[in-house]
Amino acid sequence: MTGVKAIVYRRYGGPEVLEVADIPEPKVGPDSVLVRVAASSVNPVDWKMREGYLDGAIDVFFPVVPGWDVAGTVEATGPAVPEFSPGDEVIGYVRKDVVKGGTFAEKVAAPVRTLARKPRNLSWAQAASLPLVGLTAYQALHHALKIGPEDTVLVHAAAGGVGSVAVQLARAAGARVIGTASERNHDYLRSLGAEPVTYGDGLVERVQAIGAPTASLDLVGGEALISTYDLGVPASRVASIVDASVAERGGAYVFVRPDRADLTALVDLVEAGKLTVDVAETYPLERAADAHRRSEEGHVRGKIAVEVMPS
Ligand SMILES: NC(=O)c1ccc[n+]([C@@H]2O[C@H](COP(=O)([O-])OP(=O)(O)OC[C@H]3O[C@@H](n4cnc5c(N)ncnc54)[C@H](OP(=O)(O)O)[C@@H]3O)[C@@H](O)[C@H]2O)c1
C-alpha cells in the first residue's frame, strides 16, 4: 500500500490529540483532483472541529485528517474532471460533505468544485492562506451585503484572517472601511486601507467620532454585534459569520461554502494587485499542534500557514 504522511486525530480533544501518521494515499473519485500538498493553513474552525464543537452539525469519521485550505500541484484527475491537468498549480477550500480526509497531508483528494488556479504572485504559504478566509469575506461582502462605493463598512476583528482580507475587498469595491483591533494592530489596519478603532467598552462612541457605518461585517459576535445595532446600521445590512442571532433581526448569517467562481474572482483580484494575504507565522506539518495552539490564542495578525511539501 502506498502511504502518505498526514496529521490525524483519532478522538476529539485538545491539540495533543494531533499526531503524525501514515495514511493510505487518497483515491481520486470521479469528480475529484489528487493534489500534492505544498502548504495548508490554520483556521479557527480546525480546532473547533477538533474539540468536537461541530459534532452536531457534520458527520465526522475517525481518524480525521484536519485542514480545509490547500495550495499544491495536481497529480491526477478523476474521469469527470476536464478543468485541470497533472502539473497545474491550484488552491482550494476543500470542505467536503463529511469530515475525514483534510489537507494536513502530503496528498488530498479535492472535489473539483473546491479548486481554482493558484495566483501566480503568491508564495505557497500565502496561496494556502487565501481560500477559506477569502471566500468568507467575499461571500459576506458581495453576496450578502452587496457593498459598493457609497458604503462605510464596519469590520469587527479586522486584523485577523477573515478581517484582513475583508478590509482589502471592501476597499477594492470602493468603500470606506472602519476596522476594530487592539492598538498594536492599528498601523497594520491603516496599511490595508482601514481606519482603526479599539474594540471593547466605548466602541460605539469611538466609531461615531469618525464616521457613520452603513453596513457591517461581524467576525466576533455578542457585544460587537450589539454595538453595530447601537450605531444605527440597518439590521438588513449586517452580516455575521459567528453569531446566528443576526438572522432573527433581518441580517445575514454567512457560512462559507466552496465556490470555484468566487475563488477565481479572488485569484483575479490577487493577480491585479488589489488583494494579498499576510502570513504571520509558518509551521512545518509535524508542528500542527503548535499551529492550532497559536490560532486558539485568538490574536493572530493575518494567517498561520503550514508547510507540507513546498517545491
Ligand atoms: N461562518 C463561517 O463560514 C466562518 C468562516 C471563517 C471564520 N469564521 C469564524 O470567524 C471568526 C474569525 O475568524 P478568523 O479566521 O478571522 O480568526 P482569527 O484570524 O483567529 O482572528 C484573530 C483576530 O481577531 C482579533 N480579535 C480578537 N478578539 C477581538 C474582539 N473582541 N474584537 C475585535 N477583534 C478581535 C485579533 O485582533 P487583536 O490581536 O488586535 O485583538 C486578531 O487579529 C472565528 O470565530 C472563526 O471560527 C466563520
Side-chain angles (χ1 to χ4, degrees):
M1 180 190 75
T2 325
V4 298
K5 187 167 69 175
I7 296 296
V8 302
Y9 56 98
R10 301 175 195 279
R11 59 182 170 85
Y12 292 132
E16 69 282 354
V17 300
L18 298 176
E19 58 180 274
V20 179
D22 263 324
I23 61 164
E25 178 166 309
K27 291 178 185 158
V28 197
D31 301 328
S32 283
V33 173
L34 186 66
V35 179
R36 181 181 187 275
V37 181
S40 181
S41 75
V42 182
N43 293 287
V45 72
D46 297 330
W47 49 262
K48 292 178 184 179
M49 187 84 67
R50 191 205 66 219
E51 290 282 359
Y53 299 157
L54 279 78
D55 190 65
I58 186 160
D59 281 324
V60 173
F61 295 93
F62 296 105
V64 169
V65 177
W68 280 346
D69 271 330
V70 76
T73 305
V74 172
E75 196 160 286
T77 56
V81 178
E83 291 91 339
F84 296 105
S85 306
D88 289 349
E89 295 186 344
V90 293
I91 60 170
Y93 162 43
V94 189
R95 177 164 66 71
K96 306 175 185 175
D97 294 336
V98 301
V99 172
K100 181 169 175 60
T103 58
F104 278 31
E106 290 175 331
K107 293 183 189 178
V108 66
V112 67
R113 67 189 159 84
T114 67
L115 299 176
R117 74 175 193 281
K118 172 186 174 283
R120 283 185 295 271
N121 51 340
L122 293 188
S123 68
W124 285 120
Q126 286 177 303
S129 296
L130 175 68
L132 190 151
V133 297
L135 286 168
T136 306
Y138 189 91
Q139 290 168 2
L141 292 171
H142 287 298
H143 297 328
L145 293 173
K146 299 183 170 49
I147 59 145
E150 66 289 352
D151 278 314
T152 297
V153 184
L154 172 63
V155 178
H156 293 282
V162 179
S164 58
V165 171
V167 168
Q168 297 174 76
L169 290 179
R171 294 293 292 146
R176 183 182 169 198
V177 181
I178 298 172
T180 72
S182 60
E183 191 86 33
R184 74 183 181 91
N185 282 324
H186 284 197
D187 283 345
Y188 175 62
L189 289 193
R190 285 188 197 97
S191 76
L192 297 176
E195 295 161 62
V197 288
T198 306
Y199 56 80
D201 285 347
L203 174 65
V204 170
E205 292 71 25
R206 286 192 290 279
V207 174
Q208 279 169 336
I210 60 169
T214 58
S216 179
L217 174 54
D218 166 44
L219 315 179
V220 178
E223 287 298 316
L225 185 55
I226 291 164
S227 67
T228 306
Y229 301 126
D230 292 346
L231 278 161
V233 180
S236 63
R237 308 259 10 252
V238 180
S240 180
I241 64 168
V242 287
D243 196 330
S245 76
V246 68
E248 291 157 22
R249 306 214 18 182
Y253 174 65
V254 174
F255 197 98
V256 57
R257 70 177 196 189
D259 186 299
R260 259 171 71 66
D262 289 349
L263 193 54
T264 302
L266 288 160
V267 171
D268 290 343
L269 283 164
V270 170
E271 291 183 343
K274 294 180 176 162
L275 173 65
T276 193
V277 188
D278 290 306
V279 176
E281 289 163 40
T282 303
Y283 291 80
L285 183 66
E286 293 76 8
R287 290 189 57 209
D290 288 336
H292 272 210
R293 284 187 189 97
R294 185 74 182 96
S295 171
E296 286 182 59
E297 289 167 11
H299 294 286
V300 173
R301 177 189 295 167
K303 289 279 300 181
I304 297 170
V306 173
E307 274 186 340
V308 185
M309 288 198 293
S311 43

